[in-house]
């Protein structure tokens, strides 16, 4: 590919690409993010390529493998343009029919359409699916229009316009000013104003400065950065370059989690192509601006999402955070001024430059502008990535977009902000989601994980789960974090094992306050949040475990028993067949009983018992009723 | 370097820019307890026993005195109820590892810490890192290392280096706040397994 | 793993000590684990003390100081997977393979690891077996997948 040497050449090149594209020409797109890959999008891709040849439509129809659409549970997803017909859970064997029916005959393949889990209504067009209809995809939207490996695709949707504008029409001060005016706040967790952060790095003394993309998305349950990095790598690079220009940096790093191989792959392709096209390197677009980037893979450490730990890791050291001050803006990578933002933050930059701070400002709430991408997962019907304006209500996100809790179960709480966040109960679902409101509710925005939990989730166990995660992921350097988490985890484990005692709750609170107040970095300072927020909203669950030996969610193994209701058992034997420890005794026309001493509480019996019978049940806080014996067991 | 004026426990203190609260406090005879601090070592901030209360930019926070730089107008309190409570619980957590440490027991008396509050832990190191950092920063030998992370973090001697360097040095032993015993323990254990020879002996006919 | 290959990886990174983690990652992906000789070579060539290498190779979860099994099983225990029953899936994996999380069996058949989150949250619970993703998986289903693996390796 030849180099693009000026903004004028960029536009000529863009026009040439667009002139070859016909928006009325049918186009088959296939989502190829990690999740769709996991559900077999690779095999579907092969089938599409094969069938297009077999059915002779290669010339008349375009085909594109795009980034993640975010509706991951329904993957692989095929969308057919220009209509936008959306097929879900597409398998290789469906492809021949899609091409012969939909592409050639303009007929819909009914069985592949979205079905609303509550109303049973079907939706043909992507935009009509409630999951998409209520979103505003300003940042994530490009993912489904482009092949992330193609620079042409990115240019066709207006890529690098913002960079050209920045380099030729704006001074670095103006760029920082625009980001400040947009009131963009960091999407990685703390929500610090990005413009202000840029200003610190820009004004810091020193000739050599760095910019860094934090793609160490470690919060379990959040994957929007993965989706952006895989699905629109050029967009992130463009945002980073604008920031580099504003700050006065000529070198950048991408720090990508080791668990995201596809993100690394797509990013490396994008960097190579951009270098070959003169969109990275020396004298970019003839502006005199020089910029190079490197990709650094993480090696499996949650703490490296913390910016000072990330910098240590970039330098080839263990990821142990430093105390701030000094802030990285003053003393960062190799002790040089460094600006770090996360993927989603950088992805917002081209939008702000293209559309202006006023536009960005018009979206969102007083304190939080723009949109935010959430990963809506857990016990919710429509799981996936959701981009909504700041200020959308939790209820709308979970019920309108997410279509509520599956299986007729009752909603219990939604956990936001990952291991540093908190649980929000039903009565707070109407709060407007932004940085400040979530914090007020005792949770936090974090990177945008939103895990829905139903009545089957035990919140004491959830707190234990997070503390266990953190005890493994803390760097272990400072005492209050390492030891505070250790002690809290011990107490929580005991409570879930039925060994809780009077005073445990008070001790948890004391340990939590100390860890929060005296830890060195943000991991420790926020580590007690899962404990504090569940204690705040669900204290009765803790008390039930401790005082009554009862797990209200019927989840903690040590506190539950499985029994078979003799009035409902039809002696079908299904449960006994599935019982690995052979704890179920029964026979033909003999009511089955569970030997409590042998039962390992794996729950296989409850799954095996036909729903029509529903004879196996879980109980907690009471002893299993004595099993029937002798003739009374005959049906 | 300009001069900074701050207040520590009601006293006006003048300090050089870039110094820490701990240094400023010491310069006027205000004692703040420390465990991981050492005059020859870069401040580390791991033990947090030097936690003090400071009004920074209008907010009252607990900060580690050994790391927090002085600022004009900073107001520091080294003994408030909150500070004492934090130090007490930090000590109690450490005493679960090292119940016999004299240094810890002395501090426990001051802050009313109960050495038996938490169940005893098997590892009696409090991970202050004095040995690791001294061997690195002062001796430049790197014979002791931290390994693992989180709750599993511990110190170990690197056998190949330890067998060469430690015998005549042992300068880290008296630094250990939980008694030199544990350092000696690790050393002995490490020395029990001799290192693999770096150049394997020749199986051929030559004399090596 | 021969030292020429190690040197090649080191040279690719200009023998820069700052690239230590990247170098170790590449050695591991080449060799599947990090043998002691390789670490010594890296330590000497980059002039990085062994203490730091020991810390790094135990601090970061990706690194393995022992050989890995023929089949690598990663059970996602992220929050989304957790609330959808990842714990029971992990139990099934440990049961069928007889290998605990974080361990490898002496015959080098299976290495079992838990992962904080692999970012396929919508598909939870997820298990990755030899690079292949299995989403929405039940304990019984994963047991069947692993039994097939065990047969193949015998």
């Amino acid at each position: 590919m030849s180099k693009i040497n000026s903004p004028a050449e960029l536009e000529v090149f863009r026009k040439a690409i667009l002139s070859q594209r016909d928006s009325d020409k049918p186009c088959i797109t296939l989502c190829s993010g990690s999740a769709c890959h996991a559900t077999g999008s690779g095999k579907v891709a092969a089938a599409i390529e094969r069938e297009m040849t077999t059915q002779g439509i290669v010339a008349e129809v375009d085909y594109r493998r795009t980034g993640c659409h975010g509706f991951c549970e329904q993957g692989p997803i095929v969308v057919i343009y220009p209509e936008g017909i959306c097929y879900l859970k597409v398998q290789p064997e469906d492809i021949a029919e899609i091409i012969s029916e939909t592409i050639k005959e303009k007929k819909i393949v009914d069985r592949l359409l979205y079905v609303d889990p509550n109303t049973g209504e079907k939706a043909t067009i992507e935009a009509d699916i409630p999951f998409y209809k209520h979103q505003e995809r300003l940042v994530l939207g490009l993912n489904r229009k482009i092949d992330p490996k193609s620079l042409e695709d990115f240019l066709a949707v207006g890529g690098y316009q913002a960079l050209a504008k920045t380099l030729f029409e704006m001074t670095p001060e103006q760029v920082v000013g625009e980001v400040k005016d947009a009131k963009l706040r960091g999407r990685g967790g703390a929500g610090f104003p990005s413009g202000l952060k840029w200003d610190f790095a820009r004004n810091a003394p020193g000739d050599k400065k760095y910019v860094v993309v934090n793609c160490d998305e470690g919060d379990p349950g959040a994957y929007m950065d993965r989706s952006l990095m895989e699905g629109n790598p050029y967009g992130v690079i463009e945002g980073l370059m604008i920031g580099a220009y504003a700050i006065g940096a000529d070198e950048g790093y991408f720090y990508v989690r080791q668990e995201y191989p596809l993100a690394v792959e797509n990013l490396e392709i994008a960097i190579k192509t951009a270098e070959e096209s003169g969109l990275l390197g020396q004298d970019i677009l003839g502006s005199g601006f020089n910029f190079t980037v490197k990709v650094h893979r993480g090696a499996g450490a949650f703490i490296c999402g913390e910016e000072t730990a990330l910098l240590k890791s970039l330098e080839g050291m263990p990821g142990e955070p430093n105390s701030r001050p000094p802030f990285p803006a003053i003393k960062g990578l190799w002790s040089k001024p460094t600006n770090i933002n996360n993927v989603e933050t950088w992805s917002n930059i081209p939008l702000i430059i293209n559309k202006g701070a006023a536009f960005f400002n018009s979206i969102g709430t007083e304190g939080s502008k723009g949109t935010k991408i959430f990963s809506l997962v857990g016990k919710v019907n429509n799981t996936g990535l959701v981009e909504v304006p700041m200020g959308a209500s939790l209820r709308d996100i979970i019920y309108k977009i997410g279509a509520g809790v599956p299986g007729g179960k009752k909603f219990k709480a939604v956990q936001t902000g990952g291991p540093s966040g908190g649980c929000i109960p039903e009565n707070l679902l109407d709060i407007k989601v932004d940085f400040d409101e979530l914090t007020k509710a005792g949770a936090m925005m974090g990177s945008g994980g939103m895990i829905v939990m139903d009545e089957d989730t035990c919140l004491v166990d959830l707190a234990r789960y997070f503390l266990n995660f953190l005890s493994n992921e803390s760097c272990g350097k400072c005492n209050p974090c390492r030891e505070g988490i250790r002690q809290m985890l011990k107490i929580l484990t005991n409570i879930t094992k039925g060994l809780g005692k009077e005073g445990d709750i008070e001790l948890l609170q004391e340990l939590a306050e100390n860890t929060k107040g005296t830890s060195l970095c943000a991991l420790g300072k926020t580590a007690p949040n899962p404990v504090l927020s569940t204690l705040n909203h669900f204290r009765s669950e803790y008390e039930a475990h401790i005082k009554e030996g009862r797990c209200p969610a019927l989840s903690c193994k040590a506190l539950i028993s499985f029994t078979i209701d003799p009035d409902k058992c039809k002696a079908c034997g299904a449960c006994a067949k599935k019982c690995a420890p052979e704890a179920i005794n029964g026979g033909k026309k003999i009511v089955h009983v569970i030997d409590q001493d042998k039962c390992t509480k794996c729950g296989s019996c409850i799954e095996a018992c036909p729903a029509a019978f529903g004879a196996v049940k879980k109980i907690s806080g009471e002893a299993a009723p004595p099993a029937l014996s002798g003739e009374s067991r005959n049906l | 370097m300009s001069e900074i004026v701050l207040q520590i426990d009601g006293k006006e203190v003048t300090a050089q820019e870039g110094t820490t609260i701990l240094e400023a406090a010491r310069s006027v005879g205000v004692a703040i307890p420390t465990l991981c601090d050492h005059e020859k070592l870069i401040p580390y901030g791991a033990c947090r026993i030097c936690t003090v209360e400071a009004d920074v930019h209008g907010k009252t926070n607990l900060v580690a005195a050994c790391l927090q730089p002085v600022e004009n107008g900073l107001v520091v309190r080294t003994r408030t109820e909150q500070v004492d409570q934090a130090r007490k619980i930090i000590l109690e957590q450490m005493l679960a590892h090292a119940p016999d440490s004299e240094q810890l027991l002395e501090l426990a008396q001051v802050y009313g810490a109960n050495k038996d509050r938490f169940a005893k832990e098997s590892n009696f190191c409090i991970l202050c890192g004095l040995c690791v950092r001294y061997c690195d920063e002062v001796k430049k030998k790197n014979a002791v290392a931290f390994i693992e992370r989180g709750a599993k973090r511990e110190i170990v001697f690197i056998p190949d280096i330890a067998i060469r360097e430690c015998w005549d040095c042992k300068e880290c032993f008296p630094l250990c706040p939980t008694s030199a015993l544990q350092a000696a323990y690790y050393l002995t254990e490490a020395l029990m397994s001799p290192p693999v020879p770096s150049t394997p002996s020749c199986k051929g006919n030559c004399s090596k | 793993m021969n030292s020429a290959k190690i040197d090649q990886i080191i040279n690719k990174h200009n023998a820069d000590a700052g690239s230590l983690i990247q170098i170790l990652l590449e050695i591991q992906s080449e060799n599947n684990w990090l043998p002691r000789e390789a670490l010594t070579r890296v330590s000497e060539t980059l002039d990085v003390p062994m203490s730091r290498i020991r810390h790094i190779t135990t601090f970061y979860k990706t690194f393995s100081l022992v050989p890995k099994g023929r089949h690598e099983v990663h059970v996602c225990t992220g929050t989304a997977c957790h609330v959808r029953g990842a714990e029971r899936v992990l139990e099934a994996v440990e049961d069928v393979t007889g290998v605990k999380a974080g361990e490898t069996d002496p015959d080098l058949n299976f290495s079992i690891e838990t992962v904080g989150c692999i970012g396929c949250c919508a598909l939870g619970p997820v298990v990755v077996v030899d690079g292949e993703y299995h989403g929405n998986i039940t304990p019984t289903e994963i047991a069947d997948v692993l039994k097939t693996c065990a047969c193949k390796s015998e």
Side-chain angles (χ1 to χ4, degrees):
Chain A
M1 181 163 192
S2 63
K3 288 207 185 231
I4 303 169
N5 294 312
S6 68
E9 277 185 39
L10 179 70
E11 288 317 308
V12 169
F13 190 51
R14 193 192 313 280
K15 278 201 185 105
I17 295 166
L18 288 172
S19 70
Q20 287 164 10
R21 297 191 175 196
D22 175 3
S23 58
D24 293 332
K25 188 178 173 187
C27 178
I28 304 172
T29 67
L30 170 68
C31 171
S32 301
S34 276
C36 279
H37 181 72
T39 50
S41 126
K43 284 174 192 152
V44 176
I48 294 178
E49 282 159 32
R50 201 175 50 238
E51 280 301 322
M52 282 179 72
T53 314
T54 317
Q55 301 201 27
I57 56 157
V58 176
E60 303 99 84
V61 177
D62 283 337
Y63 161 58
R64 181 172 294 130
R65 294 190 72 175
T66 69
C68 172
H69 294 205
F71 201 13
C72 304
E73 195 171 14
Q74 301 289 337
I77 301 174
V78 169
V79 183
I80 293 159
Y81 293 101
E83 299 88 351
I85 299 161
C86 180
Y87 291 138
L88 304 171
K89 294 193 176 173
V90 177
Q91 294 304 308
E93 48 275 22
D94 298 323
I95 296 302
E97 192 182 348
I98 290 177
I99 291 179
S100 62
E101 291 298 304
T102 309
I103 298 283
K104 294 190 167 172
E105 304 289 329
K106 299 284 168 208
K107 284 185 196 155
I108 304 298
V109 183
D110 209 51
R111 68 181 145 79
L112 297 172
L113 295 176
Y114 173 79
V115 184
D116 190 301
N118 299 317
T119 63
E121 271 176 47
K122 289 189 173 175
T124 309
I125 306 298
E126 190 180 29
D128 292 340
I129 298 174
F131 178 77
Y132 293 113
K133 197 159 76 182
H134 301 288
Q135 296 198 39
E136 191 166 342
R137 293 189 150 194
L138 296 180
V139 178
L140 197 57
L142 287 182
N143 268 23
R144 65 176 194 272
K145 296 186 184 153
I146 58 175
D147 174 350
K149 294 183 167 71
S150 159
L151 175 62
E152 278 86 356
D153 274 15
F154 183 62
L155 291 173
V157 295
Y160 289 109
Q161 255 168 3
L163 178 71
K165 182 177 172 185
T166 307
L167 296 181
F168 290 91
E169 296 169 31
M170 296 172 86
T171 63
E173 292 83 357
Q174 283 172 323
V175 179
V176 174
E178 199 72 21
V179 176
K180 269 189 185 170
D181 290 346
K183 296 187 185 150
L184 174 68
R185 291 171 70 173
R187 275 19 180 178
F192 192 81
S194 307
L196 208 55
K197 200 165 161 176
W198 287 22
D199 222 10
F200 292 147
R202 182 180 154 64
N203 294 329
D207 293 333
K208 182 75 189 175
K209 293 177 187 178
Y210 294 97
V211 282
V212 178
V213 178
N214 184 348
C215 186
D216 190 59
E217 186 176 44
D219 278 8
Y223 65 102
M224 61 289 296
D225 290 348
R226 195 210 73 200
S227 174
L228 288 167
M229 203 70 262
E230 285 176 8
N232 186 10
Y234 290 103
V236 189
I237 297 174
E238 188 183 5
L240 181 70
M241 292 171 81
I242 294 168
Y245 171 77
I247 289 155
D250 64 351
E251 215 178 322
Y253 281 89
F254 280 87
Y255 189 98
V256 188
R257 285 182 86 198
Q258 192 265 342
E259 291 85 345
Y260 289 177
L262 185 59
V264 173
E265 183 188 323
N266 287 359
L267 179 59
E268 282 179 340
I269 293 172
I271 291 172
K272 193 162 169 283
T273 315
E275 278 169 353
E276 287 165 1
S277 324
L279 291 163
L280 269 176
Q282 303 299 303
D283 193 20
I284 293 161
L285 293 175
S287 65
F289 172 63
N290 306 326
F291 188 67
T292 55
V293 281
K294 288 198 187 99
V295 180
H296 183 109
R297 282 185 298 154
F302 171 74
I303 185 63
C304 290
E306 197 278 343
E307 58 179 17
T308 62
L310 184 149
L311 293 176
K312 286 272 196 71
S313 186
L314 273 182
E315 292 174 358
M317 308 291 271
E320 287 174 3
N322 274 344
S323 174
R324 300 178 304 181
F327 286 89
I330 309 297
K331 199 178 169 197
L333 188 61
W334 314 114
S335 295
K336 307 290 182 201
T338 304
N339 182 69
I340 308 168
N341 284 123
N342 93 325
V343 174
E344 193 184 342
T345 315
W346 288 118
S347 299
N348 269 285
I349 301 298
L351 175 79
I352 290 172
I353 299 296
N354 278 329
K355 300 212 166 182
F359 166 81
F360 193 81
N361 243 312
S362 67
I363 307 158
T365 61
E366 185 56 36
S368 309
K369 299 297 182 189
T371 58
K372 175 79 191 88
I373 308 174
F374 295 98
S375 77
L376 183 64
V377 294
K379 303 285 189 71
V380 61
N381 275 310
N382 294 339
T383 60
L385 293 180
V386 170
E387 183 176 350
V388 287
M390 293 277 190
S393 85
L394 273 173
R395 194 179 298 280
D396 283 353
I397 295 174
I398 295 166
Y399 287 93
K400 274 195 185 161
I401 297 174
V405 180
K409 297 274 184 179
K410 201 166 163 275
F411 170 92
K412 187 189 258 180
V414 56
Q415 210 277 349
T416 70
S420 314
C423 285
I424 297 172
E426 165 88 43
N427 63 349
L428 292 177
L429 277 188
D430 290 312
I431 61 164
K432 304 286 174 215
V433 180
D434 71 5
F435 287 105
D436 310 311
E437 289 298 310
L438 282 177
T439 307
K440 258 192 245 162
M444 70 185 270
M445 181 77 86
S447 55
M450 213 172 247
I451 295 123
V452 180
M453 288 163 292
D454 65 10
E455 57 194 288
D456 294 341
T457 309
C458 169
L459 292 180
V460 184
D461 181 63
L462 187 82
R464 182 204 58 79
Y465 162 84
F466 277 121
L467 271 281
N468 181 52
F469 175 86
L470 290 164
S471 99
N472 293 321
E473 296 292 345
S474 153
C475 79
K477 174 176 169 177
C478 84
N479 193 81
C481 174
R482 184 187 66 241
E483 300 303 325
I485 292 172
R486 190 200 304 272
Q487 297 300 346
M488 285 188 277
L489 177 58
K490 273 190 189 175
I491 299 169
L492 291 166
T493 307
N494 278 341
I495 297 176
T496 56
K497 281 190 174 161
L499 304 169
K501 50 185 192 300
E502 268 311 300
D504 275 354
I505 293 180
E506 292 70 23
L507 183 52
L508 273 176
Q509 271 164 331
E510 194 185 330
L511 286 162
E513 288 307 329
N514 185 61
T515 300
K516 197 173 166 176
T518 60
S519 291
L520 190 151
C521 80
L523 184 142
K525 285 184 196 299
T526 56
N529 284 356
V531 181
L532 291 171
S533 88
T534 48
L535 267 177
N536 186 15
H537 296 300
F538 299 93
R539 194 185 175 102
S540 63
E541 284 204 22
Y542 282 82
E543 284 166 350
H545 282 76
I546 297 170
K547 293 180 184 156
E548 303 164 39
R550 179 171 67 86
C551 173
L554 301 173
S555 154
C556 293
K557 268 192 181 182
L559 298 175
I560 56 169
S561 331
F562 289 81
T563 67
I564 298 173
D565 184 341
D567 298 333
K568 290 184 178 168
C569 179
K570 300 283 184 264
C572 71
C575 58
K577 260 185 235 142
K578 285 282 174 193
C579 182
E582 298 179 348
I584 298 178
N585 161 304
K588 212 173 179 187
K589 296 205 171 181
I590 299 173
V591 165
H592 287 47
V593 295
I594 299 176
D595 181 343
Q596 297 297 333
D597 294 334
K598 281 190 189 166
C599 176
T600 58
K601 300 173 185 177
C602 70
S604 300
C605 51
I606 221 164
E607 275 168 22
C609 184
F613 306 159
V616 185
K617 59 178 186 178
K618 280 194 269 187
I619 54 169
S620 181
E622 53 183 312
L628 298 181
S629 58
E631 294 204 345
S632 59
R633 286 177 61 190
N634 293 342
L635 277 181
Chain B
M1 285 282 162
S2 56
E3 287 205 329
I4 303 273
V5 181
L6 69 157
Q7 205 190 79
I8 301 178
D9 289 347
K11 284 184 202 171
E12 192 158 287
V13 184
T14 310
Q16 289 296 315
E17 190 183 345
T19 54
T20 63
I21 292 178
L22 180 63
E23 289 164 322
R26 281 180 176 161
S27 73
V28 292
V30 173
I32 296 174
T34 58
L35 285 166
C36 69
D37 180 68
H38 189 279
E39 53 179 0
K40 289 185 183 168
L41 302 176
I42 300 165
Y44 193 54
C47 76
R48 316 305 279 183
I49 199 77
C50 69
T51 291
V52 295
E53 206 174 275
D55 299 339
V56 193
H57 308 301
K59 275 191 210 157
T60 301
N61 278 327
L62 293 176
V63 297
C66 69
L67 290 174
Q68 190 72 25
V70 293
E71 279 177 67
N72 266 320
L74 193 68
V75 177
V76 178
R77 291 171 293 275
T78 69
R79 289 295 297 266
T80 63
E81 198 183 319
Q82 215 194 345
V83 167
D84 284 12
Q85 163 67 14
R87 290 182 188 161
K88 170 178 174 284
I89 198 158
I90 287 169
L91 285 165
E92 287 168 338
Q93 288 169 349
M94 289 177 174
L95 284 159
H97 290 270
D100 302 323
S101 157
E102 278 178 31
Q103 209 177 336
L104 292 183
L105 289 170
E106 271 171 35
L107 285 167
Q109 284 240 308
V110 180
Y111 297 99
N114 171 7
K115 78 179 168 76
D116 300 317
R117 184 158 189 210
F118 299 110
K120 296 289 163 286
E121 298 289 338
S122 53
N123 181 347
F124 42 99
C125 171
I126 60 163
L127 299 168
C128 67
L130 283 172
C131 52
V132 174
R133 289 149 56 219
Y134 189 87
C135 193
D136 173 18
E137 293 172 32
V138 177
K139 303 301 289 184
K140 313 232 180 283
K141 299 296 184 199
N142 296 292
V144 207
F146 283 120
I147 56 161
E148 300 281 352
R149 69 183 188 210
K152 290 195 190 128
R153 182 180 171 99
E154 55 178 318
I155 57 158
V156 294
F157 278 81
I158 307 294
D160 297 8
I161 306 177
I163 209 164
R164 270 199 323 266
E165 308 288 350
C166 296
W167 193 250
D168 297 327
C169 173
K170 299 197 183 78
E171 284 174 34
C172 60
F173 281 27
L175 302 179
C176 180
T178 66
S179 89
L181 266 179
Q182 50 114 5
Y185 166 78
Y186 280 109
L187 179 63
T188 324
E189 189 187 53
L191 290 181
M192 279 196 304
S193 47
V196 178
S198 52
T199 43
S201 57
C202 180
K203 298 269 185 339
N205 292 329
C206 77
S207 56
K208 281 182 187 169
Chain C
M1 190 175 194
N2 65 34
S3 49
K5 183 75 209 169
I6 296 170
D7 290 349
Q8 198 188 330
I9 291 172
I10 293 173
N11 291 334
K12 196 180 133 196
H13 291 276
N14 306 321
D16 174 17
S19 300
L20 176 60
I21 295 170
Q22 303 309 298
I23 290 169
L24 293 173
L25 279 172
E26 279 180 42
I27 295 175
Q28 164 132 339
S29 80
E30 194 73 31
N31 191 61
N32 210 22
W33 65 291
L34 297 171
R36 187 192 160 105
E37 306 79 65
L39 298 183
T40 310
R41 186 89 192 166
V42 171
S43 166
E44 284 164 1
T45 320
L46 296 185
D47 197 20
V48 170
M50 190 49 107
S51 56
R52 194 165 120 204
I53 292 181
R54 279 294 302 275
H55 195 185
I56 282 172
T57 50
T58 53
F59 186 95
Y60 295 100
K61 217 175 158 184
T62 306
F63 297 122
S64 177
L65 298 174
V66 290
K68 291 240 179 115
R70 277 181 285 280
H71 300 289
E72 284 191 49
V73 183
H74 296 262
V75 181
C76 182
T77 52
T79 323
C81 289
H82 175 78
V83 302
R84 288 189 182 181
E87 212 152 312
R88 282 189 53 208
V89 171
L90 177 62
E91 279 169 21
V93 168
E94 291 181 333
D95 242 29
V96 155
T97 58
V99 183
K100 290 271 166 223
E103 293 175 5
T104 301
D105 60 307
D107 300 332
L108 300 186
N109 269 325
F110 288 102
S111 289
I112 313 294
E113 297 287 343
T114 58
V115 194
C117 178
I118 55 167
C120 287
C121 312
L123 307 179
V126 183
V127 179
V128 186
V129 182
D130 298 330
E132 196 172 322
Y133 289 67
H134 299 268
N136 285 318
I137 199 150
T138 65
T140 330
E141 285 163 0
I142 191 65
D144 291 343
V145 171
L146 294 173
K147 277 174 200 158
T148 326
C149 280
C151 292
K152 270 192 257 166
S153 62
E154 266 162 20

